[in-house]
Amino acid sequence: MGRTMPPDHATQAPAGHETWPTLRRFLPYLWPADRPTLKRRIAIAMLLVLVAKATTLALPYAYKRAVNAMTTPANEAAMVALSFVIAYAAGRFAAVAFDNTRNIVFERVGQDATRVLAEDVFARLHRLSLRFHLSRRTGEVTKVIERGTKSIDTMLYFLLFNVAPTAIELTAVAVIFYLNFGWGLVLATAVTVATYIVVTRKITEWRTNLRRQMNDLDGQALARAVDSLLNYETVKYFGAEDREKERYARATRAYADAAVKSENSLGLLNISQALIMNLLMAGAMGWTVWGWSKGQLTTGDLVFVNTYLTQLFRPLDMLGMVYRTINQGVIDMAAMFRLIDTETEVRDAPGAAALVVRRPTVVFDNVVFGYEPDRTILHGLSFEVPAGGQVALVGPSGAGKSTIARLLFRFYDPWSGRILIDGQDIAQVTQASLRGAIGIVPQDSVLFNDTIGYNIAYGRDGATHDDIVAAARGAAILPFIERLPQGFDTEVGERGLKLSGGEKQRVAIARTLVKDPPILLLDEATSALDSRTERDILATLHRVSEHRTSISIAHRLSTIADADAILVLEQGRLAESGTHAELLRRDGLYAEMWARQQSEQDEVSEAAE
């Protein structure tokens, strides 16, 4: 079973009081209950942190002893000074070795935490409803996910190997200063560090708002770029390249202005931090020199204090960057968690069983549905498709034909009424088993940017090469593939743009044949094709529909005239039903639509002549 997402407690953009809830939600990924090996790695890494810090804290003592020994005129002091110098150099090397060994040990933990969270997020996005994906821009969603997952490894490093060791070092330095110099230097250091932290936090929170604006504008610019490139052909059709460039340029200019403000605020923060810390350095060093002039302190005490403050300044100097990184990481992670916490509109019922199809009948029983509460699309729609039947759905635009397809796949649930397959309510079975029983050839067959073979095999996990070849033969596309230099390994391009409309439709048909479903849904599968290609595709569709229950959603009535039954929809209601001949004799809505389309065809033929 897949890992479940930890419960969410932070639903807004994280302010100071929301930082911990966001981090707490992430902790299960850092300390996985089912991965004892990773836990051992974390324990070893933290032990190495303590050893490295202890080594670092011991270095100033060796440095002090070496300097004091050098101020002694006796010749034998030279060897003492040399030994302390060697010890100091060895200690510095050991600290670096411990730090890097710690990184080597911990790297697997950070990468695994990032990987598992990224996989959870990806899986959750696919579980979200169609309504979510239709309402969100792909570019914005991918950017939020990218920022959220990439912030994890950096946050882990700083929290465990900078914040925690710095706290340990501050405590140890306070004790050392007290034992060697009394409370004065301890209090001065404490006040300086506290001031540093307060100033850093205040300026960083101001910068956070600037950074959030940058993120929003960056996502907007990316979304516009992706949207424009996905609609490349439309842009060309209308000669709108300059318009698209200006639209994108407005977004990038706004982002550039926000970036300038953010970087300028960084300069102010760095100046403030340097001022505070160097005031402490100047005061502490001056106090030490004053004590030396009084004979109370030695020359070694000067380098002792200098070395400790220098070591302390190094992580404190990074504290502003660490705070910004963690704060930004929390913002990015919270945005990602809010995205994936979007309510899943369609869920499996508790204890839902798999759909078992023996007789693939389809029944809509008094179904009422609309995409918005104030706009009903289907008004108590009822009809039945018998097992093995070939039924067509026709009607004017907006009658609800495509809505029926989406409800059948359970992308949405009806407001009321039931949809039954083989007598089983689809709301009470698992979505995976439901969708596994239905194949679809859509109007716009979108293909993955991969090979023809991959796209055909996508119909069923584990499909063999023989299955792919058989499906291509059944979809009448095998001769075309065999003429290609790379055969099934031919790349189809973004959304299948390297193939013609008819070729894409045949790949979609082959993909459905690989799936081998008992129920077939043809959603205006030939409406975007020319007449000759349409005839060829229709012949293929009729062949693959044999021995299956098929539902055809059609705009051109000539393509479904031979259906066993034709259901005529009007404003979400069943207006008429019957065979093609029966509906023409009835002289109702279907007969009117048929006459209009025949008239349009005659006009086209006359114009062609």
Side-chain angles (χ1 to χ4, degrees):
M1 290 182 62
R3 184 191 305 271
T4 58
M5 299 296 294
D8 179 41
H9 300 288
T11 57
Q12 305 297 324
H17 65 282
E18 293 171 318
T19 300
W20 171 240
T22 303
L23 292 176
R24 183 174 57 191
R25 181 175 184 183
F26 168 68
L27 287 179
Y29 295 96
L30 175 61
W31 191 258
D34 56 344
R35 299 290 299 277
T37 304
L38 292 185
K39 289 182 178 180
R40 283 195 295 271
R41 282 179 173 269
I42 295 172
I44 293 171
M46 294 311 298
L47 179 62
L48 289 169
V49 167
L50 295 175
V51 174
K53 192 56 60 181
T55 303
T56 302
L57 289 169
L59 293 179
Y61 280 99
Y63 199 8
K64 172 184 175 180
R65 297 290 177 84
V67 171
N68 283 336
M70 291 173 66
T71 59
T72 303
N75 291 333
E76 61 269 15
M79 293 304 297
V80 176
L82 182 61
S83 65
F84 281 119
V85 168
I86 294 172
Y88 179 77
R92 286 177 61 87
F93 169 77
V96 172
F98 288 138
D99 281 344
N100 283 275
T101 304
R102 170 205 70 196
N103 292 341
I104 293 171
V105 171
F106 189 77
E107 183 61 26
R108 173 59 61 184
V109 177
Q111 290 299 328
D112 267 38
T114 303
R115 175 187 60 79
V116 173
L117 180 55
E119 290 173 2
D120 283 350
V121 172
F122 184 78
R124 180 59 182 263
L125 283 175
H126 275 293
R127 290 199 296 269
L128 291 178
S129 64
L130 178 63
R131 190 190 307 275
F132 169 86
H133 289 284
L134 292 177
S135 64
R136 296 299 295 257
R137 292 178 182 270
T138 304
E140 289 179 316
V141 171
T142 53
K143 196 69 175 179
V144 169
I145 299 303
E146 179 187 8
R147 286 200 195 102
T149 52
K150 283 188 175 180
S151 66
I152 295 166
D153 197 39
T154 305
M155 284 182 60
L156 277 177
Y157 182 86
F158 284 133
L159 283 171
L160 294 178
F161 304 141
N162 186 280
V163 175
T166 300
I168 295 171
E169 186 163 8
L170 280 169
T171 304
V173 169
V175 172
I176 292 168
F177 279 0
Y178 170 71
L179 294 176
N180 288 272
F181 308 108
W183 283 109
L185 190 55
V186 174
L187 290 176
T189 304
V191 169
T192 302
V193 170
T195 304
Y196 179 95
I197 291 174
V198 170
V199 170
T200 298
R201 180 175 179 182
K202 291 296 183 183
I203 297 179
T204 302
E205 286 176 355
W206 169 52
R207 295 194 69 244
T208 295
N209 292 326
L210 298 176
R211 187 73 181 182
R212 188 179 294 119
Q213 292 175 20
M214 282 180 58
N215 279 354
D216 292 341
L217 292 169
D218 188 25
Q220 187 180 94
L222 180 66
R224 288 183 179 178
V226 171
D227 194 29
S228 180
L229 293 174
L230 287 178
N231 289 279
Y232 171 82
E233 293 184 14
T234 304
V235 174
K236 290 294 183 182
Y237 292 151
F238 294 94
E241 292 92 338
D242 290 340
R243 268 184 286 163
E244 288 299 313
K245 178 184 175 182
E246 177 57 28
R247 186 166 173 257
Y248 180 66
R250 284 198 300 270
T252 55
R253 282 196 295 267
Y255 171 77
D257 291 342
V260 168
K261 292 179 182 178
S262 179
E263 288 304 311
N264 290 345
S265 66
L266 175 60
L268 176 62
L269 177 60
N270 289 336
I271 292 171
S272 301
Q273 291 170 340
L275 176 63
I276 295 169
M277 299 311 297
N278 283 287
L279 283 174
L280 173 61
M281 176 70 82
M285 296 292 287
W287 177 81
T288 308
V289 170
W290 178 80
W292 170 79
S293 69
K294 296 291 186 180
Q296 298 171 354
L297 300 175
T298 66
T299 307
D301 286 324
L302 180 67
V303 297
F304 185 74
V305 172
N306 176 271
T307 305
Y308 269 119
L309 290 180
T310 301
Q311 290 180 179
L312 187 61
F313 286 174
R314 193 175 300 115
L316 283 178
D317 187 49
M318 292 181 61
L319 190 59
M321 188 266 287
V322 170
Y323 183 84
R324 291 192 303 273
T325 302
I326 293 176
N327 201 53
Q328 184 59 44
V330 170
I331 291 171
D332 292 339
M333 287 177 64
M336 179 182 65
F337 285 138
R338 285 198 307 275
L339 181 67
I340 62 177
D341 284 339
T342 304
E343 188 68 22
T344 303
E345 187 175 341
V346 178
R347 301 180 179 178
D348 285 344
L355 176 68
V356 179
V357 181
R358 297 182 179 87
R359 299 187 68 258
T361 59
V362 178
V363 175
F364 273 60
D365 180 15
N366 198 29
V367 172
V368 178
F369 174 74
Y371 296 105
E372 302 296 336
D374 57 350
R375 181 169 172 249
T376 304
I377 304 295
L378 301 182
H379 302 265
L381 182 65
S382 296
F383 65 84
E384 179 175 356
V385 181
Q390 317 291 313
V391 174
L393 299 174
V394 301
S397 296
K401 304 185 297 296
S402 295
T403 298
I404 290 173
R406 289 174 170 177
L407 289 174
L408 187 60
F409 268 94
R410 210 181 161 212
F411 292 151
Y412 302 92
D413 280 332
W415 293 351
S416 63
R418 299 183 304 163
I419 302 174
L420 309 175
I421 292 181
D422 197 4
Q424 301 160 72
D425 188 341
I426 65 172
Q428 302 302 316
V429 300
T430 61
Q431 296 174 66
S433 64
L434 166 68
R435 291 164 190 159
I438 308 172
I440 184 170
V441 180
Q443 175 181 357
D444 181 18
S445 298
V446 179
L447 304 181
F448 289 95
N449 189 4
D450 209 302
T451 64
I452 292 178
Y454 174 85
N455 278 281
I456 294 176
Y458 201 81
R460 189 181 75 248
D461 188 23
T464 65
H465 182 70
D466 290 343
D467 295 331
I468 297 171
V469 172
R473 183 179 294 109
I477 196 176
L478 185 59
F480 164 75
I481 296 174
E482 289 176 337
R483 288 195 301 271
L484 296 172
Q486 293 178 291
F488 284 97
D489 293 329
T490 302
E491 297 282 340
V492 303
E494 183 92 20
R495 298 169 65 87
L497 292 178
K498 291 183 179 179
L499 303 181
S500 69
E503 290 159 358
K504 288 203 307 185
Q505 289 298 79
R506 290 192 185 279
V507 171
I509 294 169
R511 183 165 58 188
T512 299
L513 286 175
V514 168
K515 187 176 184 180
D516 193 24
I519 300 171
L520 185 61
L521 180 63
L522 309 174
D523 188 2
E524 301 199 52
T526 62
S527 64
L529 306 176
D530 61 83
S531 299
R532 180 178 177 181
T533 305
E534 181 183 55
R535 285 194 299 271
D536 294 341
I537 295 292
L538 282 174
T540 303
L541 290 174
H542 288 155
R543 185 171 66 255
V544 301
S545 297
E546 293 177 359
H547 312 300
R548 304 177 198 271
T549 300
S550 72
I551 302 174
S552 300
I553 297 172
H555 173 69
R556 287 202 283 267
L557 303 184
S558 58
T559 63
I560 48 86
D562 59 348
D564 298 337
I566 300 172
L567 308 179
V568 185
L569 302 178
E570 184 177 26
Q571 295 183 356
R573 295 181 174 87
L574 185 61
E576 300 172 336
S577 64
T579 64
H580 173 71
E582 291 170 350
L583 291 172
L584 288 181
R585 285 196 300 270
R586 195 170 298 170
D587 198 23
L589 176 60
Y590 181 83
E592 178 188 337
M593 293 169 59
W594 177 265
R596 186 183 302 116
Q597 290 190 11
Q598 291 300 111
S599 175
E600 291 172 353
Q601 277 189 333
D602 292 341
E603 291 177 2
V604 171
S605 298
E606 290 176 5
E609 292 174 1

